[in-house]
Amino acid sequence: MVDTTFGTDPMLAPLSDASLDAESRSHFSARRIKRGVLGHARELFRLRHDKSTSRVGLAAACFVGLFSLIGGRLVYLAVTSENTSEVRRAASSEISAARPDIVDRNGEILATDVKMVSVFAEPRNIVDKDEAVELLTAVLPDLDATDLRNKLSTRKGFVWVKREITPRQQAEVHRLGIPGIGFLPENKRVYPNAEAAAHVLGFANVDNVGIAGIEKYIDSMGLQDLNGAGFNISAADLKPIQLSLDLRVQHALRDELAKGMAKFKAKATAGAVLDVNTGEIIALVSLPDYDPNNPVDALEKDRINRINVGVFEMGSTFKALTVAMALDSGKYNINSTFDARSGLRYGKFTIGDYHATHRVLSTPEVFVHSSNIGTARMALGIGVEGHKAFLRKMGQLSRLETELPENALPIVPPRWGELNTMTIAFGHGLAVAPLQALMAVGALVNGGVMIKPTFLKRTEAEARQNALQVIKPETSEAMRYVMRLNASTPEGSASAAAIAGFFVGGKTGTAEKVINGRYSKNKNLTTFTAVVPADKPKYVFLTIMDEPQAVEGTYGFSTAGWNAGPVTGNVVERVAPLLGVPPRFEPPAQPFPLMSRLGAWGSNR
């Protein structure tokens, strides 16, 4: 009998299970499944309209699977590749971190970050090292070919080729198409005002790490710890650091000091302005200075911050401390007298006056005539221990620490006897940082409150929270009085800074420099301290000149009254209006009431 069923294979006709043994049934089932799959495949790919949808679906599934496999492999390689991981790790540790902006007290930018691009290489992925060196040095001619070849010859996964390139250089390097050469964005620290406030700001290196000044202070406050812990910080996440500096005053002070340095042919000069009520440093300049955008000169020995780091014998400006000590002790008063008729002998030494009067002097006259003899007698009357205790209280015997990491320890005599007390009384034998002396003068005139200087903006209330009353208010009035007398009387040495309308008080100081352990007779350090206004001080100005020369118009003199004094006067005249101290054309009524009641010398003038 012939089976006539259409499309049926007789071999596939069903058989009785009874007629097959177990092995035959298993073999038959496998053949049936295989023939079934092949049959379905043949049916699927026959050119029949009703099978087209299935064919498209299968093709799409195949393509999706293939591309998924390729994509997965690429992701795997990107995530797990040893080279890529090493580049990522190296880049994260090498890329410079963001820093907060630094602004002055009025919000003007002093330091900020800008985005730059740097070139890096993966030496293991560079096939032809010599060709890469040749191409890169052609585009970046300041690269050292030998150094670059050595870098590319290593087995490292990441090396810098050049940091902080320009957009044009980036485009040229990109056009080279060298495998293994890439670009990374970085932060570059810029200082838009160039040298202005260089010694306060300091600078950051190519890795944006603070090296000096406020930049180093910022890192010490935890910024580098955050970066080291892997926090990805942007400048927008960081609050700007607001300094006490006034950029306008800073520019004016630097300009006037530069003019004075040139006029008097000084080796160096420095100056500062201090708010006596808040302790804020409004301006600080030390010349010669440097540009923090390119601080190659910063480490030269003549570029130090003389206000913070230099230690000097402050000369006669120290007499203000001695007079204040004598008055505050109660042992002397404003009408006490001191014998200056002849030199003061101590053993084989004799102390004399530069402008000797050869007469008995009252307390104000000792100050106005800058009498070494008179101040030495005051200090001897207080005694060595009392003198040391007072100077310690005034912050002159220990290191002054501010936000700036750079500071200096005073040079104190190892054995301090009566002779030391006599010479230190008029500013010789004790070397301090000028900022220390400025801080002490601020306390002498602000009512007697010692306020630690700061480079950060703050209020008077904040400043006085930890301030100490170091002298009586009555003593402070007496000091303002004698400083004003020194500027307003013909005998005084501060007349060169007595700018009309600003009621200036002041004190000069001239100290012989110590050269190879000996005092030099022809090399001076001159200083001038001015108080504005003297009846109710707001600011103290300090000017220092290192080795000024006698020039035309100084009649052969190179002492402070002829150079540091007039320079300070120019600064006061230019800066005081910026600080909200307008000129007054009528003198204040009863500026020193206590001195008038006591009938102090000069009060009836």
Side-chain angles (χ1 to χ4, degrees):
M1 181 178 176
V2 179
D3 189 349
T4 59
T5 305
F6 178 79
T8 303
D9 188 342
M11 294 294 296
L12 296 178
L15 298 175
S16 172
D17 288 343
S19 64
L20 297 173
D21 58 18
E23 183 177 352
S24 297
R25 286 197 301 271
S26 174
H27 180 68
F28 179 75
S29 298
R31 287 182 61 201
R32 184 166 59 182
I33 292 170
K34 181 177 180 182
R35 294 293 300 274
V37 172
L38 292 174
H40 283 298
R42 283 198 298 269
E43 287 293 315
L44 180 63
F45 287 100
R46 282 181 182 176
L47 297 177
R48 290 173 54 181
H49 176 72
D50 60 342
K51 299 296 183 180
S52 60
T53 303
S54 301
R55 287 195 295 270
V56 171
L58 179 61
C62 291
F63 277 108
V64 168
L66 178 62
F67 282 105
S68 296
L69 181 63
I70 295 172
R73 180 61 177 169
L74 291 175
V75 171
Y76 173 79
L77 290 174
V79 172
T80 62
S81 169
E82 179 183 350
N83 290 346
T84 304
S85 297
E86 185 171 344
V87 170
R88 184 181 294 106
R89 288 193 299 271
S92 64
S93 63
E94 295 284 349
I95 292 176
S96 54
R99 303 182 65 80
D101 288 347
I102 301 177
V103 299
D104 83 336
R105 65 187 302 107
N106 301 311
E108 297 293 332
I109 292 289
L110 299 175
T112 190
D113 282 353
V114 296
K115 293 296 182 183
M116 299 291 288
V117 170
S118 295
V119 187
F120 73 91
E122 301 172 73
R124 288 184 294 203
N125 292 337
I126 296 178
V127 178
D128 191 332
K129 316 288 198 231
D130 292 332
E131 181 187 29
V133 170
E134 183 179 350
L135 292 174
L136 288 170
T137 52
V139 172
L140 305 171
D142 55 338
L143 286 178
D144 184 284
T146 302
D147 180 60
L148 180 58
R149 185 174 287 104
N150 291 337
K151 285 182 178 180
L152 299 185
S153 299
T154 65
R155 297 297 300 165
K156 293 181 179 179
F158 179 95
V159 294
W160 285 118
V161 174
K162 182 173 175 56
R163 309 290 288 274
E164 299 171 355
I165 62 173
T166 66
R168 176 176 292 181
Q169 289 173 325
Q170 181 185 4
E172 291 175 349
V173 172
H174 184 268
R175 272 196 294 269
L176 296 177
I178 305 173
I181 298 295
F183 305 98
L184 285 173
E186 288 201 278
N187 297 299
K188 176 180 173 61
R189 199 63 161 172
V190 296
Y191 305 89
N193 299 288
E195 294 88 354
H199 285 105
V200 176
L201 295 173
F203 58 93
N205 64 12
V206 70
D207 295 312
N208 240 19
V209 175
I211 300 300
I214 289 294
E215 294 284 26
K216 189 172 183 179
Y217 164 76
I218 292 172
D219 287 354
S220 72
M221 298 304 290
L223 179 62
Q224 284 303 312
D225 293 337
L226 288 174
N227 294 329
F231 289 93
N232 188 15
I233 301 173
S234 67
D237 299 325
L238 301 169
K239 182 180 178 181
I241 305 298
Q242 188 165 34
L243 302 188
S244 58
L245 300 184
D246 187 316
L247 185 58
R248 303 167 304 168
V249 178
Q250 186 75 28
H251 276 297
L253 176 61
R254 186 179 187 278
D255 185 50
E256 292 299 334
L257 289 178
K259 291 175 182 176
M261 183 175 171
K263 179 178 179 179
F264 297 105
K265 301 177 182 178
K267 176 181 177 182
T269 185
V273 182
L274 172 75
D275 185 320
V276 301
N277 297 310
T278 65
E280 295 170 298
I281 304 297
I282 305 301
L284 184 151
V285 175
S286 181
L287 298 177
D289 53 12
Y290 60 91
D291 185 349
N293 292 298
N294 185 30
V296 292
D297 300 325
L299 297 180
E300 293 185 15
K301 63 180 182 179
D302 65 335
R303 309 296 172 117
I304 67 167
N305 179 355
R306 286 171 171 77
I307 300 295
N308 261 65
V309 178
V311 288
F312 308 102
E313 294 183 356
M314 297 300 290
S316 293
T317 53
F318 234 59
K319 290 172 181 172
L321 291 173
T322 305
V323 172
M325 173 184 68
L327 295 174
D328 207 59
S329 69
K331 188 170 184 178
Y332 303 101
N333 59 51
I334 198 68
N335 293 316
S336 296
T337 56
F338 303 88
D339 188 356
R341 290 174 294 179
S342 59
L344 178 60
R345 293 191 59 83
Y346 188 91
K348 61 180 182 178
F349 299 98
T350 300
I351 293 172
D353 286 340
Y354 187 73
H355 295 291
T357 58
H358 302 293
R359 62 183 178 85
V360 175
L361 302 175
S362 65
T363 300
E365 289 178 298
V366 168
F367 191 85
V368 168
H369 290 284
S370 198
S371 172
N372 297 338
I373 299 170
T375 48
R377 291 191 184 279
M378 289 179 183
L380 281 177
I382 300 301
V384 172
E385 292 307 316
H387 189 201
K388 289 169 67 175
F390 182 81
L391 292 179
R392 187 176 295 110
K393 180 173 65 173
M394 300 302 292
Q396 303 303 295
L397 303 184
S398 58
R399 187 190 302 270
L400 174 61
E401 295 183 354
T402 64
E403 293 82 10
L404 298 190
E406 302 83 19
N407 51 52
L409 193 67
I411 300 176
V412 181
R415 296 181 180 179
W416 189 323
E418 285 191 337
L419 182 59
N420 301 101
T421 278
M422 293 165 68
T423 60
I424 290 171
F426 53 84
H428 290 265
L430 173 66
V432 301
L435 188 58
Q436 288 180 278
L438 192 62
M439 172 185 69
V441 173
L444 296 185
V445 300
N446 72 358
V449 180
M450 176 67 73
I451 301 174
K452 186 177 179 181
T454 182
F455 290 90
L456 302 178
K457 187 177 181 180
R458 70 181 175 195
T459 65
E460 184 174 346
E462 291 170 338
R464 291 182 178 259
Q465 283 180 353
N466 299 314
L468 297 175
Q469 188 79 35
V470 290
I471 61 172
K472 303 181 186 75
E474 296 82 6
T475 304
S476 181
E477 181 183 323
M479 295 311 302
R480 296 195 298 270
Y481 173 71
V482 296
M483 292 185 83
R484 173 58 186 169
L485 274 180
N486 196 39
S488 60
T489 61
E491 301 94 327
S493 60
S495 58
I499 304 301
F502 293 106
F503 209 67
V504 178
K507 185 70 186 80
T508 56
T510 303
E512 296 174 343
K513 291 183 66 175
V514 178
I515 307 295
N516 298 323
R518 301 177 64 88
Y519 286 104
S520 172
K521 297 296 183 183
N522 57 1
K523 293 183 179 181
N524 295 332
L525 183 90
T526 64
T527 60
F528 193 95
T529 305
V531 181
V532 179
D535 59 323
K536 193 174 182 181
K538 291 185 178 181
Y539 299 98
V540 176
F541 294 75
L542 173 67
T543 299
I544 298 171
M545 305 204 79
D546 191 352
E547 297 184 23
Q549 306 299 308
V551 297
E552 184 179 356
T554 65
Y555 306 99
F557 294 103
S558 61
T559 50
W562 295 98
N563 43 65
V567 170
T568 306
N570 293 339
V571 173
V572 170
E573 186 173 25
R574 185 169 170 181
V575 161
L578 296 176
L579 295 173
V581 185
R584 296 177 294 179
F585 298 103
E586 293 294 331
Q590 291 293 317
F592 309 107
L594 179 61
M595 297 298 101
S596 297
R597 289 199 304 270
L598 295 175
W601 179 89
S603 60
N604 57 352
R605 294 192 178 194

